[in-house]
Amino acid sequence: MAGRVFFFLQHATYEPAYQAASMGITAAAMGDDVYFVFAFEALRQLIRGGFGLAHTERERTEAARADGLNVPTPARMLEEARALGAKLVACDTTVRICGFSPQELNGTLDEVMGLASIWRLTDGARVLTL
């Protein structure tokens, strides 16, 4: 049974990015409506191209193992999920707190929306925070 799934992302290092991206692409492939909601460091790293990069020795080891297993990077899984219909969004206020304007995120995000809109979309959805 398809539904809506929200991944609220505040962190963007390898481990949380992998968890969100791998679950998100799986949910999208299974027909769920998937939303990745980016905030703070996750938003900044997405914009800078650093989403899912390893930041510790443990994460570098894990990323190397994943590469050896031919597991796609978190950034690639995110893009593949997006190709399956997943949406990358952020709250307008959070975007501004992080020092960006909604207009400059066109293309990086599918939509910048108000928190009330995000809140309404979560009604009846599965919600995960990472």
Side-chain angles (χ1 to χ4, degrees), residues 2 10-11 13 23-24 28 31-32 39 41 48 52 56 58 61 63 71 78 81 86 92-93 107-108 112 123 125-126:
Q10 183 173 335
H11 306 285
T13 62
M23 287 189 290
D32 286 322
E41 193 57 23
R48 294 176 185 146
T56 66
R58 182 186 67 233
T61 300
V71 174
L78 192 66
D92 176 73
T93 303
T108 301
V112 175
D123 187 35
R126 287 170 283 183

PDB file of all heavy atoms in Angstrom, residues 2 10-11 13 23-24 28 31-32 39 41 48 52 56 58 61 63 71 78 81 86 92-93 107-108 112 123 125-126:
ATOM      1  N   ALA A   2       0.804   2.039  -1.045  1.00  0.00           N
ATOM      2  CA  ALA A   2       1.622   3.245  -1.162  1.00  0.00           C
ATOM      3  C   ALA A   2       1.116   4.320  -0.212  1.00  0.00           C
ATOM      4  O   ALA A   2      -0.051   4.387   0.115  1.00  0.00           O
ATOM      5  CB  ALA A   2       1.601   3.750  -2.599  1.00  0.00           C
ATOM      6  N   GLN A  10      18.679  16.914   8.970  1.00  0.00           N
ATOM      7  CA  GLN A  10      19.414  18.023   9.548  1.00  0.00           C
ATOM      8  C   GLN A  10      20.917  17.786   9.416  1.00  0.00           C
ATOM      9  O   GLN A  10      21.696  18.714   9.385  1.00  0.00           O
ATOM     10  CB  GLN A  10      19.039  18.179  11.017  1.00  0.00           C
ATOM     11  CG  GLN A  10      19.692  19.358  11.690  1.00  0.00           C
ATOM     12  CD  GLN A  10      19.153  19.565  13.095  1.00  0.00           C
ATOM     13  OE1 GLN A  10      18.045  19.177  13.412  1.00  0.00           O
ATOM     14  NE2 GLN A  10      19.953  20.171  13.934  1.00  0.00           N
ATOM     15  N   HIS A  11      21.315  16.527   9.333  1.00  0.00           N
ATOM     16  CA  HIS A  11      22.719  16.153   9.224  1.00  0.00           C
ATOM     17  C   HIS A  11      22.959  15.543   7.849  1.00  0.00           C
ATOM     18  O   HIS A  11      22.073  14.913   7.283  1.00  0.00           O
ATOM     19  CB  HIS A  11      23.085  15.147  10.321  1.00  0.00           C
ATOM     20  CG  HIS A  11      22.747  15.648  11.679  1.00  0.00           C
ATOM     21  ND1 HIS A  11      23.480  16.617  12.320  1.00  0.00           N
ATOM     22  CD2 HIS A  11      21.731  15.331  12.512  1.00  0.00           C
ATOM     23  CE1 HIS A  11      22.941  16.869  13.493  1.00  0.00           C
ATOM     24  NE2 HIS A  11      21.860  16.109  13.636  1.00  0.00           N
ATOM     25  N   THR A  13      26.306  14.022   6.892  1.00  0.00           N
ATOM     26  CA  THR A  13      27.507  13.209   6.742  1.00  0.00           C
ATOM     27  C   THR A  13      27.108  11.830   6.216  1.00  0.00           C
ATOM     28  O   THR A  13      25.924  11.536   6.050  1.00  0.00           O
ATOM     29  CB  THR A  13      28.272  13.095   8.076  1.00  0.00           C
ATOM     30  OG1 THR A  13      27.437  12.436   9.028  1.00  0.00           O
ATOM     31  CG2 THR A  13      28.703  14.464   8.578  1.00  0.00           C
ATOM     32  N   MET A  23      16.783   4.461   2.225  1.00  0.00           N
ATOM     33  CA  MET A  23      15.369   4.216   2.529  1.00  0.00           C
ATOM     34  C   MET A  23      14.467   4.990   1.579  1.00  0.00           C
ATOM     35  O   MET A  23      13.423   4.491   1.150  1.00  0.00           O
ATOM     36  CB  MET A  23      15.068   4.583   3.976  1.00  0.00           C
ATOM     37  CG  MET A  23      15.649   3.593   4.975  1.00  0.00           C
ATOM     38  SD  MET A  23      15.103   3.870   6.674  1.00  0.00           S
ATOM     39  CE  MET A  23      15.949   5.396   7.068  1.00  0.00           C
ATOM     40  N   GLY A  24      14.875   6.208   1.231  1.00  0.00           N
ATOM     41  CA  GLY A  24      14.065   7.022   0.332  1.00  0.00           C
ATOM     42  C   GLY A  24      13.946   6.441  -1.059  1.00  0.00           C
ATOM     43  O   GLY A  24      12.862   6.404  -1.634  1.00  0.00           O
ATOM     44  N   ALA A  28      10.503   5.144  -2.745  1.00  0.00           N
ATOM     45  CA  ALA A  28      10.079   5.679  -4.047  1.00  0.00           C
ATOM     46  C   ALA A  28       9.904   4.542  -5.058  1.00  0.00           C
ATOM     47  O   ALA A  28       8.931   4.528  -5.817  1.00  0.00           O
ATOM     48  CB  ALA A  28      11.084   6.701  -4.554  1.00  0.00           C
ATOM     49  N   GLY A  31       6.677   2.798  -4.763  1.00  0.00           N
ATOM     50  CA  GLY A  31       5.481   3.562  -5.088  1.00  0.00           C
ATOM     51  C   GLY A  31       5.053   4.600  -4.069  1.00  0.00           C
ATOM     52  O   GLY A  31       4.017   5.244  -4.251  1.00  0.00           O
ATOM     53  N   ASP A  32       5.822   4.788  -3.005  1.00  0.00           N
ATOM     54  CA  ASP A  32       5.477   5.810  -2.024  1.00  0.00           C
ATOM     55  C   ASP A  32       5.811   7.201  -2.556  1.00  0.00           C
ATOM     56  O   ASP A  32       6.726   7.364  -3.369  1.00  0.00           O
ATOM     57  CB  ASP A  32       6.238   5.596  -0.709  1.00  0.00           C
ATOM     58  CG  ASP A  32       5.709   4.423   0.098  1.00  0.00           C
ATOM     59  OD1 ASP A  32       4.486   4.215   0.121  1.00  0.00           O
ATOM     60  OD2 ASP A  32       6.529   3.725   0.720  1.00  0.00           O
ATOM     61  N   ALA A  39      17.266  20.743   6.166  1.00  0.00           N
ATOM     62  CA  ALA A  39      17.407  21.853   7.101  1.00  0.00           C
ATOM     63  C   ALA A  39      18.865  21.965   7.544  1.00  0.00           C
ATOM     64  O   ALA A  39      19.590  20.976   7.591  1.00  0.00           O
ATOM     65  CB  ALA A  39      16.504  21.660   8.317  1.00  0.00           C
ATOM     66  N   GLU A  41      22.520  21.997   8.408  1.00  0.00           N
ATOM     67  CA  GLU A  41      23.730  21.454   7.772  1.00  0.00           C
ATOM     68  C   GLU A  41      23.402  20.588   6.557  1.00  0.00           C
ATOM     69  O   GLU A  41      24.135  20.613   5.568  1.00  0.00           O
ATOM     70  CB  GLU A  41      24.579  20.673   8.780  1.00  0.00           C
ATOM     71  CG  GLU A  41      25.966  20.350   8.281  1.00  0.00           C
ATOM     72  CD  GLU A  41      26.792  21.575   7.872  1.00  0.00           C
ATOM     73  OE1 GLU A  41      26.531  22.704   8.332  1.00  0.00           O
ATOM     74  OE2 GLU A  41      27.727  21.396   7.072  1.00  0.00           O
ATOM     75  N   ARG A  48      26.151  22.837  -1.385  1.00  0.00           N
ATOM     76  CA  ARG A  48      27.597  22.854  -1.662  1.00  0.00           C
ATOM     77  C   ARG A  48      28.099  21.589  -2.363  1.00  0.00           C
ATOM     78  O   ARG A  48      29.276  21.470  -2.657  1.00  0.00           O
ATOM     79  CB  ARG A  48      28.365  23.019  -0.356  1.00  0.00           C
ATOM     80  CG  ARG A  48      28.141  24.344   0.306  1.00  0.00           C
ATOM     81  CD  ARG A  48      28.864  24.399   1.635  1.00  0.00           C
ATOM     82  NE  ARG A  48      28.559  25.637   2.326  1.00  0.00           N
ATOM     83  CZ  ARG A  48      28.461  25.758   3.639  1.00  0.00           C
ATOM     84  NH1 ARG A  48      28.660  24.708   4.425  1.00  0.00           N
ATOM     85  NH2 ARG A  48      28.173  26.912   4.188  1.00  0.00           N
ATOM     86  N   GLY A  52      26.326  13.650   1.972  1.00  0.00           N
ATOM     87  CA  GLY A  52      26.732  12.257   2.043  1.00  0.00           C
ATOM     88  C   GLY A  52      28.222  12.006   2.081  1.00  0.00           C
ATOM     89  O   GLY A  52      28.658  10.853   2.071  1.00  0.00           O
ATOM     90  N   THR A  56      34.364  11.389   9.176  1.00  0.00           N
ATOM     91  CA  THR A  56      35.205  10.756  10.194  1.00  0.00           C
ATOM     92  C   THR A  56      35.920   9.570   9.571  1.00  0.00           C
ATOM     93  O   THR A  56      35.556   9.112   8.479  1.00  0.00           O
ATOM     94  CB  THR A  56      34.365  10.254  11.388  1.00  0.00           C
ATOM     95  OG1 THR A  56      33.496   9.192  10.931  1.00  0.00           O
ATOM     96  CG2 THR A  56      33.531  11.367  12.013  1.00  0.00           C
ATOM     97  N   ARG A  58      35.779   6.538  10.594  1.00  0.00           N
ATOM     98  CA  ARG A  58      34.809   5.434  10.511  1.00  0.00           C
ATOM     99  C   ARG A  58      33.940   5.582   9.273  1.00  0.00           C
ATOM    100  O   ARG A  58      33.720   4.619   8.539  1.00  0.00           O
ATOM    101  CB  ARG A  58      33.936   5.407  11.779  1.00  0.00           C
ATOM    102  CG  ARG A  58      32.938   4.238  11.764  1.00  0.00           C
ATOM    103  CD  ARG A  58      31.967   4.273  12.928  1.00  0.00           C
ATOM    104  NE  ARG A  58      31.086   5.423  12.781  1.00  0.00           N
ATOM    105  CZ  ARG A  58      30.877   6.350  13.711  1.00  0.00           C
ATOM    106  NH1 ARG A  58      31.477   6.282  14.875  1.00  0.00           N
ATOM    107  NH2 ARG A  58      30.066   7.364  13.485  1.00  0.00           N
ATOM    108  N   THR A  61      35.855   4.690   6.157  1.00  0.00           N
ATOM    109  CA  THR A  61      35.967   3.231   6.037  1.00  0.00           C
ATOM    110  C   THR A  61      34.660   2.640   5.520  1.00  0.00           C
ATOM    111  O   THR A  61      34.662   1.783   4.628  1.00  0.00           O
ATOM    112  CB  THR A  61      36.346   2.609   7.398  1.00  0.00           C
ATOM    113  OG1 THR A  61      37.602   3.150   7.816  1.00  0.00           O
ATOM    114  CG2 THR A  61      36.441   1.099   7.313  1.00  0.00           C
ATOM    115  N   ALA A  63      32.307   4.186   3.772  1.00  0.00           N
ATOM    116  CA  ALA A  63      32.108   4.609   2.383  1.00  0.00           C
ATOM    117  C   ALA A  63      32.969   3.788   1.434  1.00  0.00           C
ATOM    118  O   ALA A  63      32.531   3.418   0.335  1.00  0.00           O
ATOM    119  CB  ALA A  63      32.406   6.099   2.231  1.00  0.00           C
ATOM    120  N   VAL A  71      27.859  -0.157  -3.970  1.00  0.00           N
ATOM    121  CA  VAL A  71      26.692   0.546  -3.446  1.00  0.00           C
ATOM    122  C   VAL A  71      26.794   2.004  -3.891  1.00  0.00           C
ATOM    123  O   VAL A  71      27.844   2.626  -3.719  1.00  0.00           O
ATOM    124  CB  VAL A  71      26.645   0.449  -1.904  1.00  0.00           C
ATOM    125  CG1 VAL A  71      25.526   1.300  -1.332  1.00  0.00           C
ATOM    126  CG2 VAL A  71      26.500  -1.006  -1.462  1.00  0.00           C
ATOM    127  N   LEU A  78      20.077   9.722  -3.849  1.00  0.00           N
ATOM    128  CA  LEU A  78      19.139  10.835  -3.731  1.00  0.00           C
ATOM    129  C   LEU A  78      18.672  11.274  -5.113  1.00  0.00           C
ATOM    130  O   LEU A  78      17.469  11.481  -5.338  1.00  0.00           O
ATOM    131  CB  LEU A  78      19.816  11.990  -2.998  1.00  0.00           C
ATOM    132  CG  LEU A  78      18.937  13.129  -2.529  1.00  0.00           C
ATOM    133  CD1 LEU A  78      17.977  12.668  -1.438  1.00  0.00           C
ATOM    134  CD2 LEU A  78      19.806  14.260  -2.020  1.00  0.00           C
ATOM    135  N   ALA A  81      16.388   8.606  -6.495  1.00  0.00           N
ATOM    136  CA  ALA A  81      15.073   8.693  -5.850  1.00  0.00           C
ATOM    137  C   ALA A  81      14.276   9.840  -6.458  1.00  0.00           C
ATOM    138  O   ALA A  81      13.076   9.714  -6.722  1.00  0.00           O
ATOM    139  CB  ALA A  81      15.235   8.877  -4.340  1.00  0.00           C
ATOM    140  N   ALA A  86      10.669  11.327  -6.052  1.00  0.00           N
ATOM    141  CA  ALA A  86      10.899  11.908  -4.727  1.00  0.00           C
ATOM    142  C   ALA A  86      11.117  13.412  -4.860  1.00  0.00           C
ATOM    143  O   ALA A  86      11.664  13.886  -5.850  1.00  0.00           O
ATOM    144  CB  ALA A  86      12.100  11.254  -4.055  1.00  0.00           C
ATOM    145  N   ASP A  92      10.774  27.585   3.985  1.00  0.00           N
ATOM    146  CA  ASP A  92      11.171  28.934   3.599  1.00  0.00           C
ATOM    147  C   ASP A  92      11.966  29.630   4.708  1.00  0.00           C
ATOM    148  O   ASP A  92      13.007  30.233   4.440  1.00  0.00           O
ATOM    149  CB  ASP A  92       9.915  29.738   3.244  1.00  0.00           C
ATOM    150  CG  ASP A  92      10.224  31.172   2.925  1.00  0.00           C
ATOM    151  OD1 ASP A  92      10.776  31.430   1.847  1.00  0.00           O
ATOM    152  OD2 ASP A  92       9.906  32.037   3.765  1.00  0.00           O
ATOM    153  N   THR A  93      11.497  29.549   5.930  1.00  0.00           N
ATOM    154  CA  THR A  93      12.181  30.218   7.036  1.00  0.00           C
ATOM    155  C   THR A  93      13.559  29.617   7.269  1.00  0.00           C
ATOM    156  O   THR A  93      14.538  30.351   7.470  1.00  0.00           O
ATOM    157  CB  THR A  93      11.340  30.153   8.322  1.00  0.00           C
ATOM    158  OG1 THR A  93      10.062  30.752   8.057  1.00  0.00           O
ATOM    159  CG2 THR A  93      12.009  30.866   9.472  1.00  0.00           C
ATOM    160  N   GLY A 107      16.180  24.341  -8.771  1.00  0.00           N
ATOM    161  CA  GLY A 107      16.984  23.290  -9.386  1.00  0.00           C
ATOM    162  C   GLY A 107      17.634  22.382  -8.360  1.00  0.00           C
ATOM    163  O   GLY A 107      17.661  21.181  -8.532  1.00  0.00           O
ATOM    164  N   THR A 108      18.151  22.982  -7.285  1.00  0.00           N
ATOM    165  CA  THR A 108      18.713  22.158  -6.207  1.00  0.00           C
ATOM    166  C   THR A 108      17.579  21.520  -5.426  1.00  0.00           C
ATOM    167  O   THR A 108      17.638  20.335  -5.080  1.00  0.00           O
ATOM    168  CB  THR A 108      19.587  23.015  -5.262  1.00  0.00           C
ATOM    169  OG1 THR A 108      20.641  23.610  -6.027  1.00  0.00           O
ATOM    170  CG2 THR A 108      20.188  22.167  -4.152  1.00  0.00           C
ATOM    171  N   VAL A 112      10.541  25.209  -2.217  1.00  0.00           N
ATOM    172  CA  VAL A 112      10.702  25.847  -0.904  1.00  0.00           C
ATOM    173  C   VAL A 112       9.292  26.223  -0.486  1.00  0.00           C
ATOM    174  O   VAL A 112       8.587  26.913  -1.226  1.00  0.00           O
ATOM    175  CB  VAL A 112      11.614  27.085  -0.982  1.00  0.00           C
ATOM    176  CG1 VAL A 112      11.656  27.797   0.359  1.00  0.00           C
ATOM    177  CG2 VAL A 112      13.022  26.679  -1.427  1.00  0.00           C
ATOM    178  N   ASP A 123       0.508  14.854   7.489  1.00  0.00           N
ATOM    179  CA  ASP A 123      -0.669  14.219   8.071  1.00  0.00           C
ATOM    180  C   ASP A 123      -0.875  12.828   7.456  1.00  0.00           C
ATOM    181  O   ASP A 123      -1.022  12.693   6.247  1.00  0.00           O
ATOM    182  CB  ASP A 123      -1.908  15.088   7.837  1.00  0.00           C
ATOM    183  CG  ASP A 123      -3.132  14.549   8.561  1.00  0.00           C
ATOM    184  OD1 ASP A 123      -2.982  14.005   9.670  1.00  0.00           O
ATOM    185  OD2 ASP A 123      -4.241  14.671   8.002  1.00  0.00           O
ATOM    186  N   ALA A 125       1.330  10.534   7.160  1.00  0.00           N
ATOM    187  CA  ALA A 125       2.562  10.029   6.521  1.00  0.00           C
ATOM    188  C   ALA A 125       3.469   9.367   7.544  1.00  0.00           C
ATOM    189  O   ALA A 125       3.341   9.587   8.753  1.00  0.00           O
ATOM    190  CB  ALA A 125       3.309  11.185   5.850  1.00  0.00           C
ATOM    191  N   ARG A 126       4.385   8.563   7.055  1.00  0.00           N
ATOM    192  CA  ARG A 126       5.463   8.062   7.893  1.00  0.00           C
ATOM    193  C   ARG A 126       6.554   9.134   7.913  1.00  0.00           C
ATOM    194  O   ARG A 126       6.865   9.706   6.872  1.00  0.00           O
ATOM    195  CB  ARG A 126       6.020   6.751   7.333  1.00  0.00           C
ATOM    196  CG  ARG A 126       5.041   5.594   7.559  1.00  0.00           C
ATOM    197  CD  ARG A 126       5.469   4.381   6.809  1.00  0.00           C
ATOM    198  NE  ARG A 126       5.091   4.664   5.420  1.00  0.00           N
ATOM    199  CZ  ARG A 126       5.233   3.840   4.420  1.00  0.00           C
ATOM    200  NH1 ARG A 126       5.794   2.680   4.605  1.00  0.00           N
ATOM    201  NH2 ARG A 126       4.856   4.164   3.212  1.00  0.00           N
TER     202      ARG A 126
END
